[in-house]
């Protein structure tokens, strides 16, 4: 089962992708997490990506496409995977389709998690992330047992630099401009599925299971 998560920044793609990965025992591949891990380790890729991420801009396609195309060919992806944060532009989607077609393979579902912009800004200021294990929480909606500490691994949580309101506004503009066209792209290829992302995370997940099957 090969799945793409679509949606605005903060729509809940990561939250749902992790639940999908657990339920169906497939890897969760988040390009944002890969970049943040590289930034933390100080790699060249991380240094390059950071200059774009801090401004709320997308990292150039050439820095992300090969990375994902390589990743989805690893052994653990044989049964499927859930891609979170990729593709984010039409060229990325075309590159993924072309690489998979060469392997006689294709994406099965593109799930669009719909949340209006008004809700997004409010959500993002409350997001707290664990850079150690990639878990995501919300100070009001999805709190941790101990404030500021990851339930899953015990590391300290951060407010991401790019979750400041000014940067979130920029990311939303970039989303509408460069990523939203993917909705038409996957509608045309016949694999787009929509879920309402404004409801409780458990109800969003139930709608996704309805699509993917038990
Ligand atoms: P969110 O889930 O909140 O939208 P992500 O963690 O997916 O954020 O991404 C954070 C940042 O990483 C993006 O704003 C962008 O700069 C960069 N990024 C992640 N994935 C991609 C991608 N596929 N193409 C270009 N840039 C990306
Ligand atoms: P994305 O990966 O699309 O950027 P996240 O999964 O990181 O989004 O979610 C953004 C923020 O909203 C996080 O703080 C997360 O805990 C919270 N969140 C996720 N799903 C819901 C939901 N259904 N209702 C309320 N808050 C949510
Ligand atoms: Zn953690």
């Amino acid at each position: 089962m090969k799945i793409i998560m679509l949606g605005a920044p903060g729509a809940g793609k990561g939250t749902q992708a992790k639940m999908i990965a657990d339920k169906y025992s497939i890897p969760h591949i988040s390009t944002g997490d890969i970049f943040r891990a590289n930034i933390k380790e100080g790699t060249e890729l991380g240094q390059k990506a950071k200059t774009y991420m801090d401004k709320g801009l997308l990292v150039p396609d050439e820095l992300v496409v090969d990375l994902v195309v390589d990743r989805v060919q690893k052994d653990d992806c044989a049964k499927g995977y859930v891609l979170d944060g990729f593709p984010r532009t039409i060229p990325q989607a075309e590159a993924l389709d072309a690489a998979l077609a060469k392997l006689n393979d294709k994406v099965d579902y593109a799930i669009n998690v719909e949340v209006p912009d008004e809700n997004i800004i409010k959500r993002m200021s409350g997001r707290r992330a664990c850079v150690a294990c990639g878990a995501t929480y919300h100070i009001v909606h999805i709190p941790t047992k101990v404030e500021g500490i990851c339930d899953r691994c015990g590391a300290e949580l951060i407010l991401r630099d790019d979750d400041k309101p000014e940067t979130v506004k920029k990311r939303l503009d970039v989303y509408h401009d460069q990523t939203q066209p993917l909705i038409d792209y996957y509608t045309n290829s016949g694999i787009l599925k929509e879920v309402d992302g404004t409801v409780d995370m458990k109800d969003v997940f139930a709608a996704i299971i309805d699509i993917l099957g038990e």
Side-chain angles (χ1 to χ4, degrees):
M1 191 150 48
K2 284 145 196 159
I3 304 161
I4 287 170
M5 302 303 290
L6 295 176
K13 300 180 297 295
T15 302
Q16 297 301 324
K18 279 167 208 138
M19 293 162 82
I20 294 170
D22 282 348
K23 179 171 171 72
Y24 299 98
S25 304
I26 52 177
H28 166 216
I29 302 172
S30 156
T31 42
D33 284 354
I34 294 171
F35 288 137
R36 280 184 291 277
N38 274 275
I39 291 171
K40 204 177 159 209
E41 286 160 24
T43 68
E44 200 185 324
L45 174 66
Q47 284 168 9
K48 282 189 192 153
K50 188 173 172 14
T51 60
Y52 299 94
M53 290 168 75
D54 283 351
K55 296 190 190 109
L57 301 174
L58 294 184
V59 174
D61 291 338
E62 54 274 25
L63 289 183
V64 64
V65 167
D66 291 350
L67 185 121
V68 174
V69 168
D70 287 347
R71 179 67 188 86
V72 299
Q73 292 181 59
K74 296 264 190 290
D75 290 346
D76 65 334
C77 290
K79 263 183 59 190
Y81 43 80
V82 49
L83 285 177
D84 163 19
F86 182 96
R88 255 186 160 95
T89 64
I90 297 278
Q92 290 180 18
E94 289 172 346
L96 177 67
D97 279 351
L100 291 178
K102 265 196 210 160
L103 304 164
N104 255 324
D105 205 353
K106 59 173 182 44
V107 176
D108 300 304
Y109 301 97
I111 300 176
N112 183 37
V113 183
E114 277 227 39
V115 176
D117 287 7
E118 308 84 82
N119 303 35
I120 298 282
I121 311 252
K122 282 186 222 142
R123 260 196 204 181
M124 300 298 250
S125 54
R127 170 153 71 179
R128 294 294 179 274
C130 176
V131 186
C133 79
T136 307
Y137 304 92
H138 190 280
I139 50 175
V140 179
H141 305 300
I142 306 168
T144 47
K145 292 193 189 79
V146 182
E147 199 186 308
I149 301 295
C150 180
D151 284 349
R152 218 197 307 167
C153 79
E156 219 168 295
L157 301 179
I158 59 149
L159 170 61
R160 277 167 46 178
D161 286 341
D162 60 347
D163 279 351
K164 292 179 300 230
E166 319 83 76
T167 317
V168 171
K169 287 204 187 83
K170 178 71 199 166
R171 288 164 64 204
L172 277 172
D173 287 345
V174 167
Y175 166 76
H176 289 302
D177 201 39
Q178 300 192 57
T179 308
Q180 212 170 16
L182 292 176
I183 294 177
D184 282 344
Y185 180 92
Y186 289 113
T187 302
N188 292 337
S189 66
I191 62 165
L192 189 84
K193 305 283 174 189
E194 307 251 14
V195 295
D196 177 2
T198 62
V199 297
D200 189 273
M201 62 184 263
K202 290 188 192 63
D203 298 323
V204 181
F205 190 53
I208 291 176
I209 293 176
D210 277 345
I211 293 164
L212 301 178
E214 270 300 337

